[in-house]
Amino acid sequence: MRHLLLVLLLICPLSFAGCSGDNGKQLLETAQFEEKQHNLEHAKQLYGEIVRKYPGTESGRQAEERLKTLK
């Protein structure tokens, strides 16, 4: 029982850490879709949200570049 508890304590934080990167990528894909649909105001809002929520990530850098281009 003790070993099971230790394994769970090690695995749970790792599984949650892996999820945070996906959200930025999904949001970036949504922003790109909005941009392709010519909904630029919504795309800019989404890019801004990505920059705020995921600074220093690849998604954040891409969103920042798109914002510069769209302004």
Side-chain angles (χ1 to χ4, degrees):
M1 180 68 173
R2 197 183 242 178
H3 294 296
L4 178 61
L5 182 59
L6 286 173
V7 169
L8 288 175
L9 287 173
L10 291 173
I11 292 175
C12 287
L14 292 175
S15 64
F16 287 118
C19 294
S20 65
D22 289 342
N23 291 337
K25 184 177 179 183
Q26 289 175 353
L27 200 54
L28 180 65
E29 289 171 358
T30 303
Q32 291 168 336
F33 176 79
E34 290 293 332
E35 189 176 346
K36 287 179 185 175
Q37 296 298 313
H38 304 287
N39 191 354
L40 298 181
E41 286 307 312
H42 190 222
K44 287 188 227 178
Q45 289 173 346
L46 292 172
Y47 287 134
E49 183 178 342
I50 296 164
V51 170
R52 285 189 306 279
K53 286 185 176 180
Y54 307 101
T57 65
E58 182 61 29
S59 295
R61 285 187 287 278
Q62 289 179 18
E64 194 169 8
E65 286 299 314
R66 290 308 305 149
L67 271 176
K68 288 178 186 175
T69 302
L70 293 174
K71 287 187 178 184

